[in-house]
Amino acid sequence: MAAEDIGLSRRVRGIEPSGIRRIFELMATMEDPINLSIGQAHYDPPPELVEAACRAMRDGHNRYTVTQGLPRLNELVLDDVERRLGRRPETCLLTSGVSGGLMLTFLSLLDPGDEIVLPDPYFVMYKHLATLCGAQVRYYETYPDRDGERFRIDVTQLEELVNEKTKIVFVNSPSNPTGGLLDRGEVEAVARIADKVGAYVVSDEIYDLFCYGEDYASPLQYSDRCIQLGGFSKSYGIPGWRMGYATGPANVLDALKTLQQFSFVCAPAPFQHALLAAMPEVDLAPYREQYRNKRDRLVRDLHPSYALSPPEGAFYAFPRLPRTAAGEPVASDEFVAAAVAEKLLIVPGKAFSARDTHFRVSFAASDEDLARGISVLNALAERFGG
Ligand code: PMP
């Protein structure tokens, strides 16, 4: 029966299932796959944190918390943001993952007919949540001008896209799926451009732990109208716990809080207690260093088979699809199917972009799986023309 016949809302009919979910379904049917399609850390959470969660449940922290989350955890998050970025946002709200924060932010800021400016390539959730709110999505391109150069913002193009209808200028640095990191000049320009039309900058910083360069810049350092979305899923290896946070100006965060009251209610209570107890004790730097080594290895070993912008953050690389001997790009479906035939799971770039020229490789995998995956990719490059 067609979706409209069963009475689904027009809102929900505008949304297609994620291209990545199909890969998960495929994986369930395979034996010993090399899974480089994954969007979560491959390590287990720090044992102190797991212990703190069990303790929290045993100690009876199984009820609701206040909507914004435990005040001491709010303070701890704000302390951490201030220590890292040199600016303390006005207030903080603990959310059900960054996904929860995105939903609350978009619903709080976007009316039908408003515009939101998103990067291309983008994390799939953004455009669907924006569509759900009835907003018009516009994209700014971040593809490099030449093979091997970094993904970047074309400030002139962004300036042209933003107008008086723009409500949100969105940034995601480090980026899923490109591994790109915005430089300070770009971040400053985004804040200035948004400010000129009275738009908010919404900044998804879920991968901020995984930065391989020296200088990490956030729009909150340059804008008084920045909603910063941060998370624990990737860094602490706990995507199933559904823990995240939003920071920003109190007047906007109050709206998010009211919506949370009538939707998610609060972030999971035992996990709030666990993070409160364990965050000060856990050093995450070794995880970052592990991933820096994996990044180095991937960049080194895919060269020269693939045109690749070396990832500066997150745990993804976004190489260009090989070109055939005639100079034509290989069809992504054909390329991904050939990888799957070798048990390798990767995600075609078109799942994240209007273009179909690249593919996403996650290096959140064991060294062994990464080595196996790289050798399949190098064999494919040879077969498809490199
Ligand atoms: N933003 C980005 C860029 C992501 O990659 C993800 C998860 N894949 C999320 C947000 C959602 O994360 P969470 O588990 O905190 O909801």
Side-chain angles (χ1 to χ4, degrees), residues 120-122 143 318 349-357:
D120 182 342
Y122 48 79
Y143 284 92
F318 205 56
K350 66 180 174 186
F352 314 98
S353 177
R355 293 198 199 178
D356 191 16
T357 48

Side-chain angles (χ1 to χ4, degrees), residues 26-136:
L26 189 63
M27 189 180 73
T29 66
M30 288 166 74
E31 214 176 290
D32 194 24
I34 314 162
N35 189 359
L36 303 189
S37 72
I38 203 128
Q40 53 191 334
H42 81 297
Y43 50 81
D44 286 327
E48 309 91 296
L49 182 61
V50 174
E51 191 43 49
C54 297
R55 208 168 49 232
M57 281 184 247
R58 280 196 300 266
D59 289 352
H61 295 303
N62 301 299
R63 305 204 157 92
Y64 304 125
T65 67
V66 285
T67 311
Q68 68 268 36
L70 301 173
R72 277 166 53 225
L73 184 56
N74 274 289
E75 288 304 309
L76 202 61
V77 168
L78 289 170
D79 290 347
D80 183 55
V81 171
E82 183 177 9
R83 184 184 52 73
R84 289 186 293 108
L85 298 173
R87 186 173 188 188
R88 193 179 186 85
E90 224 178 323
T91 190
C92 172
L93 169 75
L94 290 155
T95 58
S96 271
V98 170
S99 307
L102 282 165
M103 173 82 103
L104 297 174
T105 305
F106 283 19
L107 282 170
S108 297
L109 293 179
L110 295 173
D111 273 326
D114 285 345
E115 293 187 3
I116 175 171
V117 181
L118 294 178
D120 182 342
Y122 48 79
F123 170 54
V124 284
M125 200 178 274
Y126 309 147
K127 74 165 179 182
H128 293 303
L129 288 182
T131 307
L132 204 65
C133 296
Q136 177 73 38

Side-chain angles (χ1 to χ4, degrees), residues 39 96-100 102 123 125-126 172 176 204 206-207 233-234 239 242-243 316:
S96 271
V98 170
S99 307
L102 282 165
F123 170 54
M125 200 178 274
Y126 309 147
N172 170 222
N176 175 8
D204 179 348
I206 193 166
Y207 293 102
S233 290
K234 315 286 173 176
R242 313 307 309 127
M243 288 295 304
Y316 307 107

Side-chain angles (χ1 to χ4, degrees), residues 1 9 16 46 76 91 96-97 145 211 216 235 264 276 297 363 385:
M1 207 186 282
S9 68
E16 324 116 35
L76 202 61
T91 190
S96 271
D145 298 319
C211 268
Y216 175 65
S235 46
F264 301 99
L276 180 61
R297 179 175 192 176
F363 50 90

